[in-house]
Amino acid sequence: MTTVPLEASLLSKLAGLARLAMGLVFLTAGAAKSWDPVIFYWEVVSYLDMLAVDRQAWHSLGSAAIYLAPVEVAVGLALLLNWKQRFVFPVAVGLMAIFLGLTFYAWRTGANVDCGCFGALAERSPGQAAAEDTVMLGLLLLGWWRGNLRWPRPGLARAPVIAGVGTLVALAVTGMRFYPQADRLAGSDLKPGMALQGLELKGVDVDLSSGSYLIELFNPKCSRCKKAVPKLNRWAASGRFPRLIGLNEYAQDSPELKEFVGQMRPRFDIATISSSDWMRLTAGHGWPRLAWIEDGVVMHVWEYDRMPTDRQLEKRLAAGS
């Protein structure tokens, strides 16, 4: 009977725990993307923009990328079930290496993009995501290098069935929740009747899902946006309108936003949103864009060439949706 050194046995058990942990990570990430594939689509598009991919290819590549979700579910279930490790580990390590490369590049270039790892479930900066991905890559390598196929015990006899059914369910959910919303991809999510989801505001402590707001999407370098500031300041100071918040994709400490604030002296709050959120709220339109939000639902949208007067805004708000 062969005796296994205590250190080797402990390392094998730690490797097994690392495999289980990464199985949960992949399963959770895949399930989140399957449930919110349109949000993940826009996160992919923001990375394509960062990588200077031709705009003509954005839709096809973004639509194809959403099927990463079922792949992650399959990898997660296989890791959890201790099934086909010799095949699954290289796939998992390869995916994590790609994720790490993208997030590290975004961090080094200062891109304001969401990680996208967990869809709308969690948002993290590229720097945070790169650090987390480095740790997770290490766990995968530990599990692959020192994992003991006998601990926990080899995959259940029904592991292929469980993994297959789980993957098919993720595939079906992804398709059912993506394609009926395909019209959203031709324009933006900022349209009447749309509920804003997965929108994180940085720099302002506001929950758009509760209460009445006016939001303006603007670019601090845009001349039309600058010309709109006096009117917006008047609205913000009047007390007759919902709270006004300006949304842009520049970081709060960016030179562009600091110059805008110093030059224009806005009297309304300014928040930063990610590039992916900016794209899905402005796609197919110019800026500034103004929207009236009630409890997270878009009630009305005004484009830059049809901005309302004070009286028109009062009438619209009084009339409701």
Side-chain angles (χ1 to χ4, degrees), residues 87-162:
F87 172 77
V88 172
F89 266 117
V91 173
V93 169
L95 288 174
M96 191 57 64
I98 293 173
F99 299 157
L100 176 59
L102 289 172
T103 54
F104 184 78
Y105 181 78
W107 172 60
R108 287 298 303 269
T109 57
N112 179 32
V113 297
D114 290 333
C115 164
C117 308
F118 294 93
L121 193 61
E123 294 187 0
R124 294 176 322 290
S125 69
Q128 292 171 325
E132 292 172 6
D133 288 349
T134 300
V135 173
M136 289 189 287
L137 180 60
L139 291 175
L140 283 171
L141 291 173
L142 173 62
W144 189 10
W145 175 52
R146 293 304 301 261
N148 189 330
L149 295 178
R150 294 172 295 179
W151 192 91
R153 67 187 181 84
L156 301 172
R158 295 181 180 178
V161 176
I162 297 173

Side-chain angles (χ1 to χ4, degrees), residues 49-275:
D49 181 49
M50 178 190 72
L51 296 172
V53 175
D54 188 344
R55 286 176 176 264
Q56 299 299 320
W58 283 6
H59 179 65
S60 58
L61 292 176
S63 299
I66 65 169
Y67 290 102
L68 175 65
V71 173
E72 289 185 321
V73 168
V75 169
L77 288 173
L79 288 173
L80 288 172
L81 295 169
N82 198 7
W83 180 63
K84 296 290 185 182
Q85 286 194 41
R86 291 183 178 87
F87 172 77
V88 172
F89 266 117
V91 173
V93 169
L95 288 174
M96 191 57 64
I98 293 173
F99 299 157
L100 176 59
L102 289 172
T103 54
F104 184 78
Y105 181 78
W107 172 60
R108 287 298 303 269
T109 57
N112 179 32
V113 297
D114 290 333
C115 164
C117 308
F118 294 93
L121 193 61
E123 294 187 0
R124 294 176 322 290
S125 69
Q128 292 171 325
E132 292 172 6
D133 288 349
T134 300
V135 173
M136 289 189 287
L137 180 60
L139 291 175
L140 283 171
L141 291 173
L142 173 62
W144 189 10
W145 175 52
R146 293 304 301 261
N148 189 330
L149 295 178
R150 294 172 295 179
W151 192 91
R153 67 187 181 84
L156 301 172
R158 295 181 180 178
V161 176
I162 297 173
V165 170
T167 303
L168 289 176
V169 169
L171 183 64
V173 170
T174 300
M176 288 189 297
R177 291 184 62 84
F178 181 76
Y179 288 104
Q181 304 294 330
D183 62 316
R184 294 169 60 180
L185 306 182
S188 76
D189 282 358
L190 199 67
K191 59 184 66 175
M194 185 69 70
L196 295 181
Q197 297 179 341
L199 186 64
E200 180 184 5
L201 277 59
K202 299 176 182 178
V204 177
D205 186 15
V206 168
D207 180 7
L208 293 180
S209 66
S210 177
S212 180
Y213 300 93
L214 289 174
I215 62 171
E216 186 219 22
L217 288 142
F218 76 99
N219 185 310
K221 299 189 293 184
C222 161
S223 60
R224 288 196 303 260
C225 301
K226 293 180 179 179
K227 290 179 181 179
V229 171
K231 178 189 288 187
L232 299 176
N233 281 345
R234 188 170 65 250
W235 291 350
S238 70
R240 304 196 313 269
F241 304 112
R243 182 178 179 180
L244 177 62
I245 303 173
L247 305 182
N248 82 113
E249 64 174 331
Y250 287 84
Q252 293 286 298
D253 59 352
S254 66
E256 295 84 357
L257 193 55
K258 286 183 176 180
E259 180 181 353
F260 175 85
V261 172
Q263 179 184 3
M264 304 309 303
R265 301 295 181 184
R267 302 180 65 180
F268 49 90
D269 293 316
I270 293 179
T272 299
I273 59 177
S274 68
S275 294

